[in-house]
Amino acid sequence: MKKILIPLMLLTLFTGCKEVKEAIKMPQKMDKLGETTDGMSDTTSQLYSQLRSAQSSVERRDAFALILNDNIEMGQKLTNAAKFFMAFEYNLYTGIKPYDNLEIRDMLFYDAVEEFYKNMASVYETDIKGEFNVKKAMKKGKMTPIHTGKWSLKKRNYEQSFYAVAAALHKVHHRQTFNAKNNGFAEMSMYTLMKDALIKDSQGATLSKSEEYIVAGHNREISIALLKARIDIILALAINDSMDADEASFWPGLLHVVSGGKLGKLELPSTFETSNAATMHEANKKIEEALKCYDFLLSIGVKHEIDKKVKNIFDNVDLPELDNIQAQNDNIQEYREYIQQIQKID
């Protein structure tokens, strides 16, 4: 029995020693595995960044081309302008390390504004023969989101494209909204980047690299022009939601058109009071946003003269008498208060 026990004990001992030796080697193996994992993490991070950049770049390029396509109507231009802004890579920032950090986000902001203002410079002051020059038209008061009589989209394509971009400045991708909420960082759009830069510049505050780019040289002028255009186009969209252009008073409207706005008036009947709650809410939201943008420009020392046609329509809107139920409707009361605010603007 003893002869059997001794070999068994020796076998157990030698087996234990072998496991101990393997255990001693484990930290070395783990260090090598850690190096491999770190390498894989860096590679994954780089691959993710490259794929994200490439995909968003293609989406922006395609969307901007459609914005400038002179065969695309305003509704499609607005849709593609929203896609354009949602495709900027900062929308896909996660806030999760090692892929993303604040330094990366600042770089994404700078890349975005640099690309955006270079694109918009070609639209704002185009050198294409026969194409609509936004800068000259704005200075002469000949740019408008509302056209009466015969007009050509092809001849005013850049005008409509500029308005579409201005209207969509606030658009962000839903992924940014989700990541900002869950990973603890502030949601940003081109609109907020632009406003932050302009307000800081007006106050003489320290600017980030991307903010400096926004207010440098002609870029500040383009920013102001976009915000002015944003007010006019959003108010025009609100008119579309709340009034009936087909029922405009004919003779006063014709006189207004023939005289170039010097005589007559654009009198449209309000359909707001008989709209459903969703339509009312949408129209009020647009007017509220336009007035906020107007007030923002005032806060940085810029007074905007609302487009003459848009202003004339709000000044002369035909508001029906309200019944008892309508008189207690908060949406209708808000709408009429907004109209009064616009009418009081000089």
Side-chain angles (χ1 to χ4, degrees), residues 274-294:
T274 55
S275 299
N276 60 27
T279 303
M280 290 182 179
H281 176 73
E282 191 62 30
N284 278 340
K285 186 169 68 172
K286 288 185 174 75
I287 301 174
E288 179 184 23
E289 173 53 36
L291 289 173
K292 283 183 178 179
C293 190
Y294 181 88

Side-chain angles (χ1 to χ4, degrees), residues 200-330:
K200 286 184 180 180
D201 182 55
S202 69
Q203 296 172 347
T206 302
L207 302 172
S208 67
K209 187 178 178 182
S210 60
E211 290 168 343
E212 284 184 348
Y213 195 91
I214 290 171
V215 298
H218 292 296
N219 292 346
R220 185 181 186 279
E221 181 182 336
I222 293 172
S223 299
I224 299 298
L226 280 166
L227 295 182
K228 289 180 175 181
R230 179 175 174 83
I231 295 167
D232 293 341
I233 183 60
I234 292 179
L235 286 176
L237 293 172
I239 289 171
N240 188 59
D241 288 342
S242 62
M243 303 179 199
D244 189 352
D246 294 332
E247 296 297 326
S249 297
F250 180 73
W251 292 112
L254 179 61
L255 184 59
H256 183 85
V257 174
V258 173
S259 66
K262 295 178 181 179
L263 301 171
K265 58 184 178 180
L266 297 174
E267 184 178 357
L268 307 184
S270 172
T271 58
F272 187 93
E273 293 75 12
T274 55
S275 299
N276 60 27
T279 303
M280 290 182 179
H281 176 73
E282 191 62 30
N284 278 340
K285 186 169 68 172
K286 288 185 174 75
I287 301 174
E288 179 184 23
E289 173 53 36
L291 289 173
K292 283 183 178 179
C293 190
Y294 181 88
D295 288 341
F296 172 78
L297 285 177
L298 285 179
S299 74
I300 59 171
V302 177
K303 190 178 188 306
H304 173 51
E305 182 179 347
I306 295 175
D307 174 77
K308 292 179 180 178
K309 289 178 182 177
V310 171
K311 184 69 163 65
N312 194 287
I313 290 171
F314 275 101
D315 285 347
N316 297 289
V317 58
D318 182 13
L319 297 173
E321 291 187 13
L322 303 178
D323 59 33
N324 292 333
I325 295 177
Q326 290 174 331
Q328 297 176 34
N329 188 301
D330 291 340

Side-chain angles (χ1 to χ4, degrees), residues 188-210:
M188 297 291 285
S189 65
M190 189 62 70
Y191 186 43
T192 51
L193 287 170
M194 187 182 295
K195 290 197 299 180
D196 286 351
L198 289 169
I199 198 71
K200 286 184 180 180
D201 182 55
S202 69
Q203 296 172 347
T206 302
L207 302 172
S208 67
K209 187 178 178 182
S210 60

Side-chain angles (χ1 to χ4, degrees), residues 50-63:
Q50 290 168 4
L51 289 173
R52 186 172 73 179
S53 295
Q55 182 62 33
S56 60
S57 177
V58 170
E59 291 174 358
R60 288 195 306 278
R61 181 198 64 199
D62 292 347

Side-chain angles (χ1 to χ4, degrees), residues 48-94:
Y48 170 74
S49 177
Q50 290 168 4
L51 289 173
R52 186 172 73 179
S53 295
Q55 182 62 33
S56 60
S57 177
V58 170
E59 291 174 358
R60 288 195 306 278
R61 181 198 64 199
D62 292 347
F64 200 74
L66 288 172
I67 294 170
L68 297 184
N69 188 323
D70 61 10
N71 290 314
I72 298 294
E73 296 290 343
M74 190 59 177
Q76 292 176 299
K77 287 182 184 294
L78 288 167
T79 299
N80 283 288
K83 290 180 179 179
F84 172 69
F85 285 112
M86 288 190 285
F88 276 111
E89 192 179 348
Y90 62 74
N91 282 288
L92 303 179
Y93 173 84
T94 64

